[in-house]
Amino acid sequence: MALITSDVDRFQAARPRLEAIAYRLLGSASEAEDAVQETFLRWQAADVDRIVVPEAWLTKTLTNLCLNQLTSARARRETYVGRWLPEPLLAGDPMLGPADTVEQRESVAYAVLVLLERLSPDERAVYVLREAFAYSHREIAEILDITEAASQQILHRARKHVAGGKSRTEVDEAAARRIVEEFLAAATSGRTEPLVRLLTQDAVSVGDGGGKVPARAKAFEGALAVAKFVRGLFKPSDAKRAHVGGAPEIFTTTANGDPAIVAVVGGRVVGVTCLEVTEHGIAALRSQVNPDKLVRASEQWAAADHGNPLYTL
């Protein structure tokens, strides 16, 4: 059934919210875009005049598409090369969605997206819809075809799983820049001691290369091990430059609300490292270097002026 202009406009008005929901559910911007596009195709095929509450219909359709995707994604990730990490979104990306409340900002934080991978698809859906978008349990029950009591129980379990692994501290952009600048100064000093002082004793570092870019599958654990790895990582070499196609320029920004280091070669983002900051220091470094998961970051990066790099390796 062909849509009239007003029906298309109604969907386009809902698109930013749908994309933000899908990204939180899937941890992938490209998969989120695919899910939203499939939702549009189903909207296009539906008898729109018979849909009483279009927003509810769209959210239900999208959420169930994402649940199906999450179920199949679990099987695919069992064969994924190396460690799977979410696709980072740089500051200002509209897919980050609402950021008015602590819960909304936290729900899209990179460290929290990693934790959400522990949840079942239903737990993840309830957590995202409730925490990030303030849907009522009645609305969630209708979206997921469960009871309100079940929605409340699922949220309780999901919050426990997420809270058990949370240690990050919320920082503003100015604080994030100071943290990254201090970290980079230590990382490029050629010594491990300054880095160790910035890290928590149980700090970890992990990367996702997707089998396309070298990235250690097993995390470095402990402040000293992480410091030695980072010191080597920021040591310039011809081999590293040849591998990425030039000398990486290092910038600071935020990604998913976390302090982040962005490596850029020829205007293309080749790596994003998110720092999980706690009151005791930097607890985790999570590096996304899989080029398939940096396409959107490169597009967003190219659309704005970021000034001069802090370092060139």
Side-chain angles (χ1 to χ4, degrees), residues 66-142:
C66 290
L67 288 177
N68 292 337
Q69 181 76 2
L70 281 172
T71 301
S72 61
R74 289 195 165 200
R76 291 200 310 274
R77 287 171 193 171
E78 289 178 4
T79 60
Y80 190 82
V81 178
R83 182 70 66 92
W84 189 95
L85 290 175
E87 180 176 347
L89 296 183
L90 301 181
D93 192 314
M95 197 176 279
L96 289 168
D100 298 327
T101 68
V102 172
E103 290 79 11
Q104 288 172 338
R105 293 190 295 274
E106 190 172 78
S107 70
V108 79
Y110 202 70
V112 172
L113 286 182
V114 172
L115 290 172
L116 292 184
E117 289 295 308
R118 302 178 183 180
L119 306 184
S120 69
D122 279 351
E123 287 172 341
R124 189 162 182 163
V126 172
Y127 184 88
V128 166
L129 291 172
R130 181 65 178 166
E131 297 293 278
F133 297 92
Y135 280 88
S136 68
H137 285 292
R138 179 184 59 78
E139 292 170 317
I140 294 171
E142 292 175 355

Side-chain angles (χ1 to χ4, degrees), residues 13-270:
R15 182 184 285 274
R17 179 180 56 84
L18 296 175
E19 287 186 344
I21 292 173
Y23 173 70
R24 284 167 167 82
L25 288 176
L26 299 172
S28 164
S30 59
E31 291 180 3
E33 289 173 338
D34 290 343
V36 172
Q37 182 60 26
E38 179 60 29
T39 301
F40 175 72
L41 294 177
R42 297 194 180 195
W43 173 252
Q44 192 174 34
D47 186 353
V48 173
D49 291 337
R50 297 175 63 88
I51 296 174
V52 179
V53 185
E55 181 184 90
W57 188 96
L58 291 169
T59 304
K60 182 181 179 74
T61 301
L62 174 80
T63 301
N64 282 286
L65 284 170
C66 290
L67 288 177
N68 292 337
Q69 181 76 2
L70 281 172
T71 301
S72 61
R74 289 195 165 200
R76 291 200 310 274
R77 287 171 193 171
E78 289 178 4
T79 60
Y80 190 82
V81 178
R83 182 70 66 92
W84 189 95
L85 290 175
E87 180 176 347
L89 296 183
L90 301 181
D93 192 314
M95 197 176 279
L96 289 168
D100 298 327
T101 68
V102 172
E103 290 79 11
Q104 288 172 338
R105 293 190 295 274
E106 190 172 78
S107 70
V108 79
Y110 202 70
V112 172
L113 286 182
V114 172
L115 290 172
L116 292 184
E117 289 295 308
R118 302 178 183 180
L119 306 184
S120 69
D122 279 351
E123 287 172 341
R124 189 162 182 163
V126 172
Y127 184 88
V128 166
L129 291 172
R130 181 65 178 166
E131 297 293 278
F133 297 92
Y135 280 88
S136 68
H137 285 292
R138 179 184 59 78
E139 292 170 317
I140 294 171
E142 292 175 355
I143 290 169
L144 299 179
D145 292 324
I146 58 177
T147 65
E148 289 186 51
S151 176
Q152 293 168 345
Q153 291 170 356
I154 291 171
L155 179 65
H156 179 69
R157 290 201 307 269
R159 280 174 171 167
K160 284 182 65 177
H161 287 310
V162 174
K166 279 195 308 189
S167 58
R168 67 185 291 273
T169 300
E170 193 170 4
V171 296
D172 59 27
E173 284 197 36
R177 183 176 180 85
R178 288 195 299 272
I179 290 166
V180 173
E181 288 178 347
E182 188 176 2
F183 176 82
L184 286 173
T188 55
S189 70
R191 298 184 296 125
T192 57
E193 293 82 1
L195 280 166
V196 170
R197 288 196 293 269
L198 295 177
L199 300 165
T200 62
Q201 289 187 343
D202 58 351
V204 298
S205 176
V206 64
D208 176 353
K212 300 183 178 184
V213 174
R216 181 182 165 100
K218 185 178 180 182
F220 290 93
E221 299 181 351
L224 184 58
V226 171
K228 288 181 177 179
F229 166 69
V230 170
R231 183 189 63 186
L233 186 66
F234 281 87
K235 186 176 181 180
S237 74
D238 292 338
K240 291 175 184 175
R241 292 175 183 139
H243 185 76
V244 296
E249 296 179 328
I250 306 301
F251 295 84
T252 177
T253 184
T254 60
N256 296 74
D258 292 327
I261 298 165
V262 179
V264 180
V265 175
R268 175 175 56 92
V269 174
V270 297

Side-chain angles (χ1 to χ4, degrees), residues 269-310:
V269 174
V270 297
V272 177
T273 297
C274 296
L275 278 58
E276 182 178 351
V277 178
T278 75
E279 60 181 341
H280 303 296
I282 298 170
L285 287 77
R286 299 182 177 92
S287 299
Q288 184 56 259
V289 293
N290 182 344
D292 293 343
K293 297 182 182 182
L294 294 172
V295 173
R296 186 179 178 93
S298 290
E299 292 171 350
Q300 294 291 317
W301 189 262
D305 179 15
H306 302 277
N308 295 322
L310 293 175

